[in-house]
Amino acid sequence: MIRLERFSFTYPGEDQPALSDLSFEVPAGQFYGLVGPNGAGKSTLCYALAGMIPHYFKGTLSGSLTVAEIDIAQSSLGELAGTIGLVFQNPFNQISGSRFSVRGEVALGLENLGVPRDQITDQVDETLEQSGLADLGERSPFALSGGQQQRLAIASILVMQPAVLILDEPTSQLDPVGTSEVYALLHQLVGQHETTVLIAEHKLERLAEFTDNVLVLNQGRLLANGPPKTVLTDPLIEEIGVQPTRYTQAARQARARGLILKKDEFPLTLQDAQEFFDDAAV
Amino acid sequence: MLRFESVHFTYPGGVEALIDLSLSIEQGERIALVGENGAGKSTLAKHMNGLLKPGRGRVLVNGEDTRRKTVAQLAHIVGYVFQNPDEQLFSNTVQDEVAFGPRNLGFSPQEVEEMVRSALEAVGLQAAASEHPYDLLPAQRKLLGIASVYAMDTPVLVLDEPTMGLDLHGTRMVSSLLADCFSAGKTVILISHDLDFCAEHVERYIIMADGAVQLDAGIDSAFDDPGLLERAGLEPPQLARLARALGIQETPGTVVDFLAMWEKHRRRRSS
């Protein structure tokens, strides 16, 4: 569904490419995570996948990037709008400012796509419900808390039912229960609608639970691409500045201090960690 | 140091954000103020530096009613780091941004220079001193927001989501900046959803829901009530969950605590 071949991108006036020689594929209906330290190029990659690069942010491109068989560089943002949705890191950048209610804001994308009015109403209602915003439909988008704005940003994209959904740290301002709800919703989209999802995220425990595969980006380069269990317990990620789960950290410390000798695999999740430390206790 | 006496606050438009809230915080305490989005945490924090004044009840900072103090006067006592740095930053260079606070508090030019230098060093932004804040990465802007309040050297520091969007390097810088604050005896209040981070730094948890304090406790009893946690939108920190899953009675804050507790538990089981 997403395919990059030797894709590179350099922002105007920069010497170093922001994305360098990236090749990978995301099959349709898969849930991918994207991790890396600040400045690794995660947001830039999200922009590129959604066509914001090169259609909004200019720069020098090479290689190829196709999403749903569409060559991103050769199409327009308008053509991409119904197929690819991008949820920004900062919800403030997503909210149009042209609508006085949450409901109006969520409807905006569908209106721009020319969807009939009664269908818009149904889709907006359903999305508000799914996104936990049903009670806030008449509220001004600017009278929402940071977390609520983040839900609104997600809702305003979900409502268009894109085949490919790119999310740049969409839960950074959400509480743990709100974060779980967003992941549950994404999981449902992948399962029921075969939506292809790629999410940039610092919360590794969530990626461990939900994703099929994780991409690791550092200094614009792809360092790893594999199942969360392998990739996210690799000491490499800590070296580049990605915080492992406390489970992995505790296990690695136990091993470093010689408290546990026989285990080679480090745990990623609570369940793994329970087994790791329980076995070792006997 | 900070005292809330039956505080009520209602936003224009009628949202009741604080309902009969009473709370007392002593000098040198390390506190996590936690709860779901919309629980009233930021509203509570904005009462600490006088950005908001109570509708009913009183807020006392160093024994003085915040209604009789200006925000500028309270800024000598309580530093507040906004959740979103873009609401906080306004200068044309990183250096000016950090200098603004101490300069306004009346420090001498030499003192201001030294405070700016050490604050920028604490968050790794020395090399960016003459850049425009909006040319920084979002994570660097977050760190700049923290540095510009840290530089004011106030006895109380309130940090709203200090690790939001930060990678391991950034998080470690915030940790070591907090360690400096602790050793200087400052009062530190973290407002955060990142309970794994909180657990490594605080000793007292104030759990809010529906505009009121629901629980005020140490780590050993802060996460005992699943119903309350659900209502407050919280999950216990990872190490606390792991300890519980392993049948360990105590609750660890850090990896070091966890390993000590686990070893003790292991010895007890094998003997």
Short mmCIF file of all heavy atoms in Angstrom, two decimals, chain A residues 95-109 111-112 117 120 139-142 152:
data_model
loop_
_atom_site.label_atom_id
_atom_site.label_comp_id
_atom_site.label_asym_id
_atom_site.label_seq_id
_atom_site.Cartn_x
_atom_site.Cartn_y
_atom_site.Cartn_z
N ILE A 95 -6.60 22.13 13.14
CA ILE A 95 -7.93 22.72 13.24
C ILE A 95 -8.00 23.96 12.33
O ILE A 95 -7.13 24.83 12.39
CB ILE A 95 -8.23 23.04 14.72
CG1 ILE A 95 -8.32 21.71 15.48
CG2 ILE A 95 -9.50 23.86 14.87
CD1 ILE A 95 -8.31 21.82 16.97
N SER A 96 -9.03 24.00 11.49
CA SER A 96 -9.06 24.99 10.41
C SER A 96 -9.21 26.42 10.91
O SER A 96 -8.72 27.36 10.30
CB SER A 96 -10.21 24.68 9.45
OG SER A 96 -11.45 24.96 10.10
N GLY A 97 -9.94 26.60 12.02
CA GLY A 97 -10.18 27.94 12.51
C GLY A 97 -11.35 28.61 11.78
O GLY A 97 -11.75 29.71 12.12
N SER A 98 -11.91 27.92 10.79
CA SER A 98 -12.98 28.53 10.02
C SER A 98 -14.35 28.06 10.51
O SER A 98 -15.37 28.52 10.03
CB SER A 98 -12.83 28.19 8.54
OG SER A 98 -13.08 26.80 8.34
N ARG A 99 -14.38 27.13 11.48
CA ARG A 99 -15.66 26.60 11.96
C ARG A 99 -15.86 26.92 13.43
O ARG A 99 -14.91 26.93 14.20
CB ARG A 99 -15.72 25.08 11.74
CG ARG A 99 -15.71 24.69 10.27
CD ARG A 99 -16.84 25.41 9.55
NE ARG A 99 -16.71 25.31 8.12
CZ ARG A 99 -17.42 24.44 7.38
NH1 ARG A 99 -18.26 23.62 7.95
NH2 ARG A 99 -17.28 24.43 6.08
N PHE A 100 -17.11 27.16 13.80
CA PHE A 100 -17.40 27.60 15.16
C PHE A 100 -17.80 26.45 16.07
O PHE A 100 -18.01 26.63 17.25
CB PHE A 100 -18.48 28.67 15.15
CG PHE A 100 -18.06 29.87 14.37
CD1 PHE A 100 -18.65 30.18 13.16
CD2 PHE A 100 -17.00 30.67 14.83
CE1 PHE A 100 -18.23 31.28 12.42
CE2 PHE A 100 -16.57 31.77 14.10
CZ PHE A 100 -17.19 32.07 12.89
N SER A 101 -17.93 25.24 15.51
CA SER A 101 -18.27 24.11 16.36
C SER A 101 -17.43 22.90 15.98
O SER A 101 -16.92 22.80 14.86
CB SER A 101 -19.76 23.76 16.24
OG SER A 101 -20.01 23.17 14.97
N VAL A 102 -17.31 22.00 16.94
CA VAL A 102 -16.60 20.74 16.72
C VAL A 102 -17.25 19.97 15.56
O VAL A 102 -16.57 19.45 14.68
CB VAL A 102 -16.63 19.91 18.04
CG1 VAL A 102 -16.26 18.46 17.79
CG2 VAL A 102 -15.70 20.54 19.07
N ARG A 103 -18.57 19.94 15.58
CA ARG A 103 -19.32 19.26 14.52
C ARG A 103 -18.99 19.84 13.13
O ARG A 103 -18.74 19.10 12.18
CB ARG A 103 -20.81 19.41 14.84
CG ARG A 103 -21.79 19.11 13.76
CD ARG A 103 -23.20 19.16 14.32
NE ARG A 103 -23.43 18.01 15.18
CZ ARG A 103 -23.67 16.79 14.69
NH1 ARG A 103 -23.75 16.59 13.41
NH2 ARG A 103 -23.85 15.79 15.51
N GLY A 104 -18.96 21.16 13.05
CA GLY A 104 -18.66 21.83 11.78
C GLY A 104 -17.25 21.52 11.32
O GLY A 104 -17.00 21.31 10.12
N GLU A 105 -16.33 21.47 12.28
CA GLU A 105 -14.94 21.18 11.95
C GLU A 105 -14.80 19.76 11.39
O GLU A 105 -14.10 19.53 10.40
CB GLU A 105 -14.08 21.35 13.22
CG GLU A 105 -12.60 21.12 13.02
CD GLU A 105 -11.92 22.19 12.17
OE1 GLU A 105 -12.32 23.36 12.26
OE2 GLU A 105 -11.01 21.83 11.41
N VAL A 106 -15.50 18.81 12.00
CA VAL A 106 -15.41 17.42 11.55
C VAL A 106 -16.05 17.27 10.17
O VAL A 106 -15.60 16.47 9.34
CB VAL A 106 -16.06 16.45 12.59
CG1 VAL A 106 -16.09 15.03 12.07
CG2 VAL A 106 -15.28 16.51 13.91
N ALA A 107 -17.09 18.06 9.90
CA ALA A 107 -17.79 17.97 8.61
C ALA A 107 -16.98 18.56 7.45
O ALA A 107 -17.20 18.22 6.28
CB ALA A 107 -19.14 18.69 8.70
N LEU A 108 -16.03 19.42 7.79
CA LEU A 108 -15.34 20.21 6.77
C LEU A 108 -14.72 19.38 5.64
O LEU A 108 -14.91 19.68 4.46
CB LEU A 108 -14.25 21.06 7.46
CG LEU A 108 -13.56 22.12 6.62
CD1 LEU A 108 -14.54 23.20 6.21
CD2 LEU A 108 -12.42 22.76 7.43
N GLY A 109 -14.00 18.31 6.04
CA GLY A 109 -13.32 17.48 5.04
C GLY A 109 -14.30 16.87 4.06
O GLY A 109 -14.05 16.83 2.84
N GLU A 111 -17.30 17.95 3.29
CA GLU A 111 -17.87 19.00 2.43
C GLU A 111 -16.92 19.29 1.27
O GLU A 111 -17.35 19.41 0.13
CB GLU A 111 -18.11 20.27 3.25
CG GLU A 111 -19.25 20.11 4.26
CD GLU A 111 -19.32 21.27 5.25
OE1 GLU A 111 -18.67 22.30 5.01
OE2 GLU A 111 -20.02 21.12 6.25
N ASN A 112 -15.62 19.36 1.60
CA ASN A 112 -14.63 19.63 0.55
C ASN A 112 -14.56 18.50 -0.47
O ASN A 112 -14.21 18.72 -1.62
CB ASN A 112 -13.25 19.86 1.16
CG ASN A 112 -13.18 21.21 1.83
OD1 ASN A 112 -13.96 22.11 1.53
ND2 ASN A 112 -12.26 21.35 2.77
N ARG A 117 -25.16 16.00 1.72
CA ARG A 117 -25.37 16.52 3.06
C ARG A 117 -25.87 15.49 4.08
O ARG A 117 -25.36 15.43 5.20
CB ARG A 117 -26.36 17.71 2.97
CG ARG A 117 -26.64 18.40 4.29
CD ARG A 117 -27.16 19.80 4.08
NE ARG A 117 -26.11 20.68 3.58
CZ ARG A 117 -25.25 21.33 4.35
NH1 ARG A 117 -25.29 21.17 5.65
NH2 ARG A 117 -24.35 22.12 3.83
N ILE A 120 -23.19 13.27 5.09
CA ILE A 120 -22.24 13.96 5.97
C ILE A 120 -22.72 13.88 7.42
O ILE A 120 -21.97 13.51 8.32
CB ILE A 120 -22.08 15.44 5.56
CG1 ILE A 120 -21.34 15.53 4.21
CG2 ILE A 120 -21.33 16.23 6.63
CD1 ILE A 120 -21.09 16.94 3.72
N ARG A 139 -19.52 22.60 20.94
CA ARG A 139 -18.47 23.43 21.56
C ARG A 139 -17.57 24.03 20.47
O ARG A 139 -17.39 23.44 19.41
CB ARG A 139 -17.67 22.51 22.50
CG ARG A 139 -16.65 23.15 23.40
CD ARG A 139 -17.18 23.68 24.73
NE ARG A 139 -17.59 22.71 25.73
CZ ARG A 139 -16.77 22.16 26.64
NH1 ARG A 139 -15.48 22.38 26.60
NH2 ARG A 139 -17.26 21.37 27.56
N SER A 140 -17.02 25.23 20.75
CA SER A 140 -16.04 25.81 19.82
C SER A 140 -14.76 25.00 19.88
O SER A 140 -14.31 24.62 20.96
CB SER A 140 -15.74 27.26 20.21
OG SER A 140 -14.51 27.64 19.63
N PRO A 141 -14.14 24.74 18.71
CA PRO A 141 -12.87 23.99 18.72
C PRO A 141 -11.82 24.64 19.61
O PRO A 141 -10.93 23.97 20.12
CB PRO A 141 -12.43 24.05 17.25
CG PRO A 141 -13.69 24.21 16.48
CD PRO A 141 -14.59 25.04 17.36
N PHE A 142 -11.93 25.94 19.83
CA PHE A 142 -10.89 26.62 20.61
C PHE A 142 -11.22 26.67 22.09
O PHE A 142 -10.46 27.18 22.89
CB PHE A 142 -10.65 28.02 20.04
CG PHE A 142 -10.08 27.91 18.65
CD1 PHE A 142 -10.89 28.10 17.54
CD2 PHE A 142 -8.76 27.55 18.46
CE1 PHE A 142 -10.39 27.94 16.26
CE2 PHE A 142 -8.25 27.39 17.18
CZ PHE A 142 -9.06 27.59 16.08
N LEU A 152 -10.21 15.82 18.36
CA LEU A 152 -10.88 16.48 17.25
C LEU A 152 -10.03 16.38 15.97
O LEU A 152 -10.56 16.11 14.88
CB LEU A 152 -11.14 17.95 17.60
CG LEU A 152 -11.68 18.84 16.46
CD1 LEU A 152 -12.99 18.27 15.90
CD2 LEU A 152 -11.90 20.27 16.95
#
